[in-house]
Amino acid sequence: MAQKYSAQQPNSFEEMVEQIEKYIRGEINRETEVKQLHYHNIAHALQVKRRAEYIFQAIKPVLAQDYSALELRRIKNIMSICALAHDMVQIFELTPVNHSRKRCSGASEMETANKLLRYVQNLNLDLASSKGDHSFVFSDREQQIIREAILATICVPDPYGSRTENVSASPSIYQPYLYNSDKKISLVGGIIALADLGTLGMDGAEAYIQDGISIFLEDNPHFQQLIRSCDRFDSTQQAEIKAQLLNMSRFIVALAYERQARFEPEIAGFAFDIRQILRHQVFIHLNQESIDRVEALVPSKTETSYSELINFFSSKIYAIGD
């Protein structure tokens, strides 16, 4: 007999969504505990969900010209599932102890989509075998939307890096999904991708910087102890630590410039009216003032001292907590 995924049969699509989101939260919390995730945790998932829902509400009047109220509710629920789940699985490559953790681009997103859709498909089977209302099962097309939206958040290195004066040649990242000229982006996929890297544009410089530190700590968990023991190292060790911290600082600044430079190409797949809303009502912090704020707060110049970098990173790491 097939495994039952629900102790109580959902009575509406919204109840089914609630059950899926409960499952997602549990999986994220397990990943966080086992893999020491300082960024790809439930806090980030909820932030992306919040930003995605804000984008959706802002452009809803335009969408209402093409979709019924029922269709919009269903799209919103599917979008919320994708936003919450998009980083549900985190896969790291095998690396030596006290080395930076590495990811194979796309592996985490692919496994996240597969795992979530297995759960959704089993819920569909449970519902199909019951005598209840089958109208709110996830269709094949909706399952494809879920897969595409999660894969839309795949980030790859920018082959050109930063082109700014102070952080020349610093590496950066972008989401190739938003640049696929051969295929029209889906509404849900586009929103999730924008929300995922939308911290600077939607939440401002301080939140963006804190995200950067969280990512650094997640990829370099050994640095938490290194920074706390910063006075014990000799000059050679300090130089090595400084170089790594300075690289991360430059990455944070470089990515801020990239977020602004890439905004117009990334929203090009949306209708004109939606682009206007995204520019003037949603991504209100994606401007030179915010970038100047990031540069003012993040020590990224060559002459930055070891102690200045230690003080900057330690204050942000302590804000994250253990």
Side-chain angles (χ1 to χ4, degrees), residues 55 61 89 134 148-149 168 246 310:
I55 293 170
V89 178
H134 297 174
E148 186 173 335
S168 177
L246 189 58
I310 290 293

Side-chain angles (χ1 to χ4, degrees), residues 52-61 76 79:
E53 290 177 349
Y54 188 89
I55 293 170
F56 181 83
Q57 288 302 127
I59 67 176
K60 187 176 178 181
K76 180 179 181 295
M79 180 196 70

